[in-house]
Amino acid sequence: MRLSLWRRYSFPASHRLFRAEWSAEQNDRIFGKCANPYSHGHNYELEVAVTGPVDPATGMIANLADLDSFVQRKVLDAFDHAYMNEQIPEFRECVPTTENVCRVIFQRLAGFPRAHIEGVRIEETGKNSFEYAAPSNP
Ligand code: NI
């Protein structure tokens, strides 16, 4: 039997999709309005999945308070109201598409000591969501 816990968080953040080494025309062709130099924001909905044995004493995979404080410290403290291109070091050389935001957030959470981080899912808008699944499970 496999049991997962999904927990939902949200944070507003802004980004600009562009590559400095590309011309304005090329950025515009690839990224469209998302290359706007003044950036734009989203209310990101982040879901984090953890899995592992259910502790027979507590009946839990992981204590939500432990997960919440870990996500707060590793992700939300940095991402909440951030301009990701400049305030998140991982995006200094990497375009902050939501695909890449998924990957970066997963990497930041991978060391959770209480359970295995199975994946993260991020909803960028009502139409777009992205999921990063851990490469292998214990
Ligand atoms: Ni965007």
Side-chain angles (χ1 to χ4, degrees):
M1 184 184 71
R2 181 186 186 78
L3 247 156
S4 301
L5 157 67
W6 288 84
R7 180 78 158 161
R8 179 175 272 257
Y9 306 89
S10 53
F11 62 91
S14 65
H15 65 174
R16 180 189 177 201
L17 305 185
F18 79 112
R19 298 198 67 92
E21 69 273 27
W22 288 358
S23 67
E25 292 71 26
Q26 190 172 8
N27 275 300
D28 192 54
R29 186 159 42 79
I30 302 297
F31 297 119
K33 286 182 181 173
C34 296
N36 165 12
Y38 298 102
S39 81
H40 65 279
H42 298 280
N43 288 313
Y44 292 94
E45 295 288 331
L46 165 67
E47 285 182 287
V48 177
V50 303
T51 188
V54 177
D55 183 313
T58 65
M60 299 175 187
I61 297 171
N63 192 303
L64 288 178
D66 292 339
L67 181 61
D68 287 353
S69 65
F70 191 75
V71 172
Q72 184 68 43
R73 195 168 72 247
K74 296 288 186 177
V75 174
L76 300 177
D77 284 349
F79 280 75
D80 187 33
H81 288 79
Y83 175 45
M84 294 190 283
N85 300 61
E86 293 187 5
Q87 294 180 273
I88 303 296
E90 290 93 326
F91 296 124
R92 298 235 169 88
E93 306 290 331
C94 170
V95 186
T97 58
T98 308
E99 290 90 329
N100 284 331
V101 175
C102 267
R103 189 175 48 75
V104 164
I105 286 180
F106 178 84
Q107 286 164 351
R108 284 180 171 230
L109 294 177
F112 182 55
R114 308 268 184 231
H116 177 70
I117 301 287
E118 202 173 20
V120 302
R121 202 175 147 269
I122 299 178
E123 193 175 290
E124 183 188 43
T125 70
K127 291 181 175 177
N128 299 344
S129 59
F130 303 83
E131 187 169 321
Y132 184 100
S136 60
N137 293 310

